[in-house]
């Protein structure tokens, strides 16, 4: 066997024996690199006689081509084997449980949920939303709502006042959403049909009171709305909100400076089983105050009470949330305890709609 034949079989054995792409690259450098065995042979051509060169030249070139082809064929085989191995080792176990997404673990606070629910109900009846600031003037929170200066009704509100300003004015944290009635009537032309959900503040704290709480106010002003309409609106609201077919309501005479006549509304409930059930039983539970808007209030907003009339109501959002969802302590609403929100919260993508169901 000639030297070249030996070299060829050495190199082919090394190529076949290369088990990885790195090993194969080593063989390539060993054979064809600058100082490789074939390259070294090539360098000897210059020193040969023309006759020798005529034989050795083609022989060496042929060897070079053969080795190059063998390396590239081996490379393909190794690449394919590597791919096979990756495919086998990187399989995905489709039976593994899904990791819960934020949409699964996040929760909507019951107050937000109930605001969405009552917005869906009143929007369906043609109401729009009105809003006002939490920091309010004495004039809008009390005076324009027909609370005379020094009237005991002011004291009943346990108001948080700010320090007096230089001009003697004392701002306050609104004690109810009713000042937004005034803001609305002063800026919108009747007919007015709005609900006003928002935060309210009173210096009070126990199982059913927190210093910050939520109310939703309703206001209808036009030329003919009367007490019958008010009753219907509240009745329809209660049926939709508590998701019952029928609900008995009781309108009791009451007093608010900004309505005349004024009523408090109780709904039928059953307290016998330790928890409160709405829409059955023969007990009563107070849920809201309402009445026909007082002529003085209409006048304070620049409207003529001989032309315009209407009704209003105010309801505690936290209160009806506690009732609907059986939450016993209002203070827990604002403790920011993750365990509480996990238990009582709502799934973020389950938006309450009348079509799809409010609470499911
Ligand atoms: N603002 C009253 C409160 O916080 C609730 C209320 C009663 C609002 C009667 C009204 C209403 O609009 O007509 O106690």
């Amino acid at each position: 066997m000639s030297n070249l034949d030996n070299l060829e079989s050495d190199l082919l054995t090394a190529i076949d024996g290369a088990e990885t792409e790195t090993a194969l690259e080593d063989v390539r450098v060993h054979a064809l690199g600058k100082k490789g065995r074939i390259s070294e042979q090539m360098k000897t051509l210059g020193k040969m006689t023309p006759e020798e060169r005529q034989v050795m030249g083609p022989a060496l070139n042929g060897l070079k081509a053969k080795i190059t082809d063998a390396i590239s064929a081996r490379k393909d085989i190794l690449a394919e084997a590597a791919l096979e191995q990756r495919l086998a080792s990187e399989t995905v176990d489709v039976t593994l449980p899904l990791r819960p997404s934020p949409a699964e673990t996040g929760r909507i606070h019951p107050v937000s949920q109930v605001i969405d629910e009552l917005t869906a109900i009143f929007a369906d009846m043609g109401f729009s939303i009105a809003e006002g600031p939490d920091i309010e003037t004495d004039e809008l929170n009390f005076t324009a709502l027909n609370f005379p200066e020094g009237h005991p009704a002011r004291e009943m509100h346990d108001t948080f006042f700010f320090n007096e300003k230089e001009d003697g004015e004392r701002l306050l944290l609104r004690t109810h959403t009713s000042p937004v009635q005034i803001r609305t009537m002063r800026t919108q032309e009747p007919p007015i049909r709005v609900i006003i959900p928002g935060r309210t503040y009173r210096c009070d704290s126990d199982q059913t009171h927190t210093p910050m709480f939520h109310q939703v106010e309703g206001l209808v002003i036009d030329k003919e709305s009367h007490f019958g309409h008010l009753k219907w609106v509240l009745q329809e609201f209660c049926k939709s909100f508590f998701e019952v077919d029928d609900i008995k309501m009781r309108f009791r005479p009451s007093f608010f400076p900004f309505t005349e006549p004024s009523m408090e509304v109780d709904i039928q409930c059953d307290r016998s089983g330790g928890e409160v059930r709405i829409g059955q039983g023969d007990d009563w539970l107070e849920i809201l105050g309402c009445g026909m808007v007082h002529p003085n209030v209409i006048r304070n907003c620049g409207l003529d009470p001989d032309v315009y009339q209407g009704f209003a109501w105010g309801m505690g959002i936290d209160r009806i949330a506690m009732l609907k969802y059986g939450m016993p302590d209002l203070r827990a609403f604002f403790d920011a305890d993750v365990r509480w929100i996990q238990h009582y919260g709502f799934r973020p993508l389950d938006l309450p709609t009348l079509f799809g169901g409010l609470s499911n």
Side-chain angles (χ1 to χ4, degrees):
M1 229 193 227
S2 77
N3 276 349
L4 280 195
D5 290 339
N6 277 340
L7 179 56
E8 178 180 325
S9 82
D10 273 4
L11 291 177
L12 288 178
T13 313
I15 291 168
D16 275 349
E19 291 297 338
T20 63
E21 294 190 61
T22 335
L24 184 63
E25 176 62 9
D26 287 346
V27 176
R28 190 192 66 78
V29 172
H30 172 71
L32 303 169
K34 247 186 197 164
K35 291 184 178 159
R37 292 178 68 185
I38 294 179
S39 313
E40 291 295 329
Q41 291 283 331
M42 291 282 196
K43 285 179 199 159
T44 64
L45 285 175
K47 290 178 193 136
M48 291 179 187
T49 63
E51 293 76 23
E52 282 174 325
R53 198 181 301 132
Q54 232 166 22
V55 179
M56 283 302 280
L60 271 175
N61 276 328
L63 175 62
K64 188 177 172 184
K66 203 166 181 178
I67 295 303
T68 307
D69 287 351
I71 289 175
S72 122
R74 181 72 186 155
K75 205 174 189 164
D76 288 348
I77 291 172
L78 289 178
E80 198 164 317
L83 179 64
E84 288 294 326
Q85 210 205 342
R86 262 188 70 193
L87 288 175
S89 66
E90 291 180 9
T91 50
V92 175
D93 183 352
V94 293
T95 65
L96 282 176
L98 278 182
R99 212 174 284 154
S101 76
E104 295 296 322
T105 51
R107 286 291 178 269
I108 299 290
H109 195 283
V111 170
S112 304
Q113 166 79 16
V114 165
I115 290 176
D116 286 348
E117 291 181 18
L118 56 89
T119 304
I121 297 169
F122 285 116
D124 186 56
M125 293 187 205
F127 284 80
S128 48
I129 306 269
E131 285 176 324
D134 290 10
I135 297 176
E136 199 44 287
T137 61
D138 195 286
E139 203 261 328
L140 288 166
N141 197 81
F142 292 123
T143 317
L145 284 164
N146 200 34
F147 285 80
E149 299 282 352
H151 191 282
R154 284 187 187 229
E155 311 310 315
M156 285 167 61
H157 275 218
D158 301 314
T159 313
F160 288 112
F161 286 100
F162 287 86
N163 291 336
E164 238 172 57
K165 295 200 291 185
E166 272 175 14
D167 63 7
E169 190 187 4
R170 217 161 39 140
L171 293 176
L172 47 82
L173 288 175
R174 67 179 179 190
T175 57
H176 49 179
T177 40
S178 306
V180 188
Q181 286 192 30
I182 306 294
R183 290 176 174 275
T184 307
M185 281 188 272
R186 285 182 181 172
T187 53
Q188 285 184 28
E189 287 271 310
I192 292 170
R193 288 180 183 82
V194 291
I195 57 160
I196 306 151
R199 288 194 173 157
T200 46
Y201 304 83
R202 287 185 202 181
C203 187
D204 202 356
S205 181
D206 60 33
Q207 199 177 345
T208 52
H209 296 90
T210 49
M212 187 281 294
F213 57 107
H214 298 81
Q215 285 190 339
V216 58
E217 191 91 5
L219 176 69
V220 170
I221 297 288
D222 54 25
K223 291 179 179 167
E224 58 266 329
S225 282
H226 55 69
F227 204 87
H229 298 136
L230 168 62
K231 247 182 114 171
W232 182 85
V233 166
L234 294 176
Q235 200 135 24
E236 287 306 301
F237 168 75
C238 285
K239 282 197 288 187
S240 287
F241 181 75
F242 290 108
E243 300 178 62
V244 291
D245 292 332
D246 200 19
I247 198 160
K248 270 202 208 124
M249 300 177 85
R250 188 168 73 170
F251 287 74
R252 273 185 294 106
S254 181
F255 172 79
F256 302 103
F258 37 90
T259 42
E260 182 59 38
S262 303
M263 304 278 152
E264 276 175 320
V265 176
D266 303 332
I267 53 174
Q268 173 195 26
C269 73
D270 177 16
R271 285 197 178 89
S272 59
E275 62 182 61
V276 185
R277 281 174 193 284
I278 306 298
Q280 48 185 281
D282 42 28
D283 241 338
W284 296 99
L285 189 92
E286 182 199 323
I287 60 156
L288 62 90
C290 64
M292 298 305 294
V293 178
H294 197 291
N296 286 349
V297 173
I298 294 184
R299 202 173 291 119
N300 288 343
C301 297
L303 298 173
D304 181 352
D306 289 329
V307 178
Y308 293 108
Q309 63 183 40
F311 53 84
W313 72 89
M315 190 161 45
I317 292 180
D318 319 82
R319 180 104 200 256
I320 60 169
M322 288 170 80
L323 276 176
K324 181 167 179 180
Y325 293 111
M327 297 173 287
D329 193 329
L330 181 59
R331 290 165 297 193
F333 275 47
F334 311 115
D335 278 348
D337 184 332
V338 175
R339 294 164 304 176
W340 186 87
I341 191 81
Q342 283 297 335
H343 183 75
Y344 286 113
F346 294 81
R347 292 157 62 106
L349 295 178
D350 288 348
L351 287 182
T353 61
L354 293 183
F355 180 77
L358 289 181
S359 64
N360 48 48

